[in-house]
Amino acid sequence: MKTTKSLSRLGSLLDNVQVQVSIAAYTKVDAKWRQMNFVPEFNRFYYIREGEGCLVIDGVPHYPRPGQLFVMPSGVKQSYYTINENGFGKYWCHFTAKIGDTDLFRLTGVPSHIDVTDHDRLSRLFEQLIEHYHSRQFTAALMQKSVLLEIVSLYLERAVEGRQMFRADEEDSGIRNLNLVLKYIESHLHDNITVPQLAALVHFHPNYLIRLFRELVGTSPIQYVHKMKMEKAMSLLTATEEPVSEIARQVGMELYYFSRVFKKHTGLPPSDYRRLLQERHGAED
């Protein structure tokens, strides 16, 4: 089962997801719908609404049922074809979704499909995606990304139920070592974490770790460490009455440096951040 900590770690990575839609549509395929043994540079979503057919993903054949949402990930050999005259009717889109230079679905290890529970919601999202894809408004690209992120979020939320995600592929040492580094950071936020420490943990040269981190996470190791420290500090400022100096100590920073980094992260000094939250909660009460 997925632990709270590992989901939190995955959530921190999702802050850096970048998505781009290249096409979106609804299609009722005909008997000629077929492509074999290709490796795309983009992902596909297929939301099956009717009909039958076959999808082959990384050598595994699937026969989707209406109500299932499939992801055909980039960089993986795949095929698709009809199996009778009753071809698929499906919402679909081509898109990229990356954290750093790494495909989101490779990094998270999601299953090939989910069983959709709210069909009206997902159909509505795809209709919106198609509408924004054809729109000429100057904000259309932003709206496409917004809707696609909601579809991706729906997929991930459903996928984590009872499944082990963020599984480092045993053949992918980069992702496996990244997972070790993220776990170390998570449990040592009270320390002064350095790049050489993190590199030594996985027997990497510091420069190589920095490159790998930027590729897989989209930020430098120290930027990620600061982000996690600030999230912990924000939680402590919200949920406790601990002095700011004590909170700085709990995230492994000198007070003056902590205050500077916190203001850069939130736009407010720690004391003002706490005061604003208290005033807001008081107004709600």
Side-chain angles (χ1 to χ4, degrees), residues 150-201:
E150 188 168 352
I151 296 173
V152 170
S153 298
L154 183 154
Y155 195 98
L156 295 178
E157 288 169 359
R158 181 68 173 150
V160 300
E161 296 176 7
R163 294 181 181 268
Q164 183 66 31
M165 287 178 56
F166 197 63
R167 68 186 194 302
D169 191 323
E170 291 302 318
E171 296 181 357
D172 194 330
S173 61
I175 294 178
R176 185 170 65 249
N177 286 317
L178 173 66
N179 202 12
L180 291 174
V181 170
L182 296 179
K183 287 180 180 179
Y184 181 89
I185 292 171
E186 186 179 90
S187 60
H188 289 80
L189 292 176
H190 56 283
D191 292 333
N192 179 27
I193 302 172
T194 67
V195 172
Q197 281 178 328
L198 299 176
L201 180 68

Side-chain angles (χ1 to χ4, degrees), residues 13 16 99-100 102 178 182 212-219 224:
L13 292 178
N16 301 304
I99 298 177
T102 305
L178 173 66
L182 296 179
L212 180 69
F213 218 87
R214 286 191 180 279
E215 177 187 347
L216 296 180
V217 180
T219 65
Y224 181 83

Side-chain angles (χ1 to χ4, degrees), residues 72-134:
M72 305 277 281
S74 66
V76 174
K77 182 182 287 189
Q78 51 199 253
S79 304
Y80 59 75
Y81 52 89
T82 57
I83 58 176
N84 55 39
E85 294 299 319
N86 183 27
F88 287 137
K90 58 183 174 64
Y91 289 104
W92 59 278
C93 66
H94 296 175
F95 67 100
T96 58
K98 294 186 175 182
I99 298 177
D101 295 329
T102 305
D103 181 78
L104 170 67
F105 299 106
R106 170 173 164 248
L107 188 59
T108 56
V110 294
S112 60
H113 72 278
I114 61 169
D115 293 316
V116 177
T117 56
D118 190 339
H119 299 289
D120 289 341
R121 176 191 175 193
L122 188 55
S123 296
R124 189 163 54 247
L125 287 173
F126 270 103
E127 290 288 350
Q128 291 172 0
L129 185 62
I130 295 167
E131 178 184 351
H132 296 315
Y133 172 72
H134 290 289

